[in-house]
Structures are given as structure tokens and as C-alpha cells.
Amino acid sequence: MPQVIFLPHAELCPDGAVLEGDKGTSVLDVALKNGIGIEHACEKVCACTTCHVIIREGFDSLGETDELEDDLLDKAWGLEPDSRLGCQAIIRDEDLVVEIPKYTINHASEDH
């Protein structure tokens, strides 16, 4: 089972986390299942950018982005070449190292 390593984030995951991720599961679902409250204003249907993450290692193991995800990522805060939407980054066979950006473009945090 691949590991998903979340780098420390001051608010959501201060100590970082090393988690197990089932193949076929999204990075966002792994985070949420383990108490890392990444925002997801659109309820994981690829309609916003609040679950934007940066894949520091293992990026090439993820499936290709589609046009909709690319268009949404263009609006994300702190976009980098290895950015993905957490709801669309589906775990395959390789371990991932994930950074959660400090900010989102969401004006109000929604507790889910």
C-alpha cells in the first residue's frame, strides 16, 4: 500500500503525517479520513481550487490532468508545476510527498 506523506502545515497538520493510501483513492480522501482538514468547497467534484496541493515527490505516478482540472488550477493560489487538485490526484503504486499550500482562494473556511 503506497504511503502519502504530508509535509507539516502550520494549521492543518503541524507535525506532518505519514499515512497509508489505498490505490485508487484520492489524496484528498486520504487526508480527510485521517483528520487533515483540507478544504473542499465543491465537495470533491472538481469545481473549485480549495483542495489544491503540491506533489513534491511521486507526481509522475499520478494520472494526467484533464482540461477542467488545468483550468481550475490556473486560479489556485501558489500554483506550481507539480500542483494538483487533491480530489483529482488519484493514488497509484508510488509513495507521494504532499505539501498543502498555506492559503486557498476561499474567502471563508467551511467546516465539513
Side-chain angles (χ1 to χ4, degrees):
M1 185 177 303
Q3 288 188 328
V4 182
I5 301 162
F6 286 90
L7 298 175
H9 181 280
E11 294 175 16
L12 301 177
C13 187
D15 297 324
V18 178
L19 308 172
E20 298 290 323
D22 291 326
K23 186 176 176 182
T25 303
S26 74
V27 169
L28 178 59
D29 284 336
V30 170
L32 295 174
K33 178 181 175 185
N34 289 280
I36 301 173
I38 296 175
E39 291 190 48
H40 51 288
C42 74
E43 292 298 327
K44 305 183 276 185
V45 297
C46 195
C48 72
T49 64
T50 57
C51 68
H52 168 229
V53 294
I54 303 162
I55 308 298
R56 294 293 181 203
E57 293 180 24
F59 182 85
D60 290 337
S61 73
L62 301 173
E64 295 287 321
T65 59
D66 62 19
E67 188 175 339
L68 177 59
E69 183 180 1
D70 289 338
D71 288 346
L72 288 167
L73 281 169
D74 285 341
K75 300 172 188 171
W77 185 92
L79 181 66
E80 295 193 15
D82 294 334
S83 288
R84 289 296 302 264
L85 296 180
C87 67
Q88 300 300 302
I90 304 300
I91 298 166
R92 290 190 174 172
D93 296 319
E94 290 185 34
D95 294 347
L96 302 174
V97 176
V98 179
E99 179 180 345
I100 304 167
K102 185 174 182 178
Y103 302 108
T104 72
I105 63 168
N106 209 17
H107 295 287
S109 181
E110 300 175 17
D111 259 344
H112 289 276

